[in-house]
Amino acid sequence: MPQPGSTEERSLAHWAEQGRAGMEAFYALAAEDYRQMVAARDWAADLRAHARDGRVRVLDVACGSGKFPAELQRQGLAADLGDVRVEIDLLDPSAFSLAEARSVLEAPFTVRAEHEVRIQDLPADVGDVDVAWATHALYAVPPHEIGVGIARMVAAQRPGGFGAIVHARSDSHYLRFADAYRATFSPDAVPFTTAEQVRDALTRAGVVPEVTTIRYDVGHPDRAVIEGFLQRCVFDDSVPLARMEVEGPVADYLAPLLGSDGYRFTQLVDVIVWEVPA
């Protein structure tokens, strides 16, 4: 279980009905994450290549509100898959997130199972999945536990199965802002997990990760939207933007990112894929 006061616990508190306003502000910018990752590779080809008997079973790790499969749907995945059916296992420690993800899924997805657990606690009897993915999903997993989580994710895949993790690098906005925020307002907080740590964990789990890095900017002219986005980035809505702009390392981080059209943040994101040895 998450430790009291940990990043994991704060994350869970925000994945709840009372956090919906912050979630919507966050996705005003973060929706670009999903557009970019869907454009980064031919996901339909990945699913078709790993289907068995006309269906492919997917484990969606830390599924959140289902933004990744929803964007795949929006971009025409059903037509690209033809007759292949996608049976999805939703995994998330938040019952709210499971319900949100379930509510947005349409063809070609059908929900096969739900697992209300952290990836570190995934039961060993969840297995034989053809595809496992985690998209902007593992930041709150403590760095000292990411190895356990990745090992369980890989163990749930069948031999020859396909895996993908999309995660920001240490030099991306998500990680740089979290580090600056922690140094300013929460020095005892556990750092976020980075893409570099995910890659190392995959290697230790016995697979060979292949990495493509994508770069893009997100921004918004509305200060209220920016405030909600930044608060959600660190799962802490107690510090207003006006305070962030004048205090400590977080102010130093934000200052050069403000232009005439508002704040712009640069994301550097690794699309990490692998196949489990047959």
Side-chain angles (χ1 to χ4, degrees):
M1 293 295 294
Q3 295 298 309
S6 67
T7 304
E8 280 187 298
E9 187 178 67
R10 294 201 316 274
S11 172
L12 276 173
H14 279 72
W15 288 106
E17 187 59 45
Q18 59 267 30
R20 186 176 293 279
M23 183 169 66
E24 291 173 353
F26 176 74
Y27 283 123
L29 279 72
E32 185 63 20
D33 293 336
Y34 298 92
R35 288 190 287 268
Q36 292 285 338
M37 74 174 76
V38 166
R41 64 182 292 118
D42 188 343
W43 297 97
D46 294 325
L47 291 167
R48 288 195 308 268
H50 296 88
R52 293 179 288 175
D53 299 322
R55 62 180 183 173
V56 58
R57 182 179 170 195
V58 174
L59 177 65
D60 189 342
V61 174
C63 62
S65 51
K67 294 296 184 184
F68 179 55
E71 183 64 18
L72 287 172
Q73 290 167 184
R74 195 180 73 82
Q75 294 288 349
L77 180 67
D80 294 338
L81 280 178
D83 294 332
V84 174
R85 304 188 308 278
V86 184
E87 299 177 355
I88 194 164
D89 281 31
L90 300 173
L91 182 153
D92 203 286
S94 163
F96 172 84
S97 293
L98 293 171
E100 288 287 298
R102 187 189 327 116
S103 73
V104 302
L105 290 177
E106 300 173 351
F109 295 100
T110 58
V111 177
R112 179 186 180 278
E114 298 179 9
H115 311 282
E116 191 179 334
V117 296
R118 306 182 308 162
I119 184 56
Q120 307 96 296
D121 304 320
L122 180 65
D125 61 358
V126 176
D128 197 40
V129 300
D130 302 302
V131 173
W133 62 45
T135 56
H136 286 293
L138 304 177
Y139 300 108
V141 178
H144 68 277
E145 295 184 21
I146 191 64
V148 172
I150 294 295
R152 296 205 177 190
M153 182 177 178
V154 171
Q157 297 177 258
R158 65 168 174 84
F162 174 79
I165 295 176
V166 182
H167 200 97
R169 298 161 52 100
S170 59
D171 50 354
S172 183
H173 161 71
Y174 284 140
L175 276 299
R176 293 183 63 203
F177 176 70
D179 285 346
Y181 191 92
R182 189 177 67 256
T184 307
F185 299 115
S186 187
D188 296 328
V190 176
F192 281 11
T193 285
T194 69
E196 293 88 339
Q197 291 165 327
V198 168
R199 297 199 308 260
D200 289 345
L202 284 165
T203 300
R204 294 195 302 273
V207 298
V208 179
E210 298 180 6
V211 182
T212 301
T213 301
I214 55 177
R215 178 189 178 111
Y216 53 96
D217 290 345
V218 297
H220 203 282
D222 189 319
R223 286 180 59 83
V225 171
I226 291 294
E227 179 177 271
F229 171 72
L230 292 175
Q231 290 174 339
R232 182 73 176 210
C233 284
V234 290
F235 307 111
D236 184 357
D237 56 9
S238 67
V239 179
L241 177 59
R243 188 176 167 196
M244 296 182 203
E245 292 174 318
V246 297
E247 294 191 29
V250 76
D252 296 335
Y253 170 73
L254 290 174
L257 305 180
L258 179 60
S260 58
D261 59 347
Y263 280 99
R264 302 289 296 178
F265 307 108
T266 297
Q267 302 285 31
L268 288 159
V269 175
D270 282 350
V271 180
I272 309 166
V273 301
W274 68 93
E275 285 204 353
V276 177

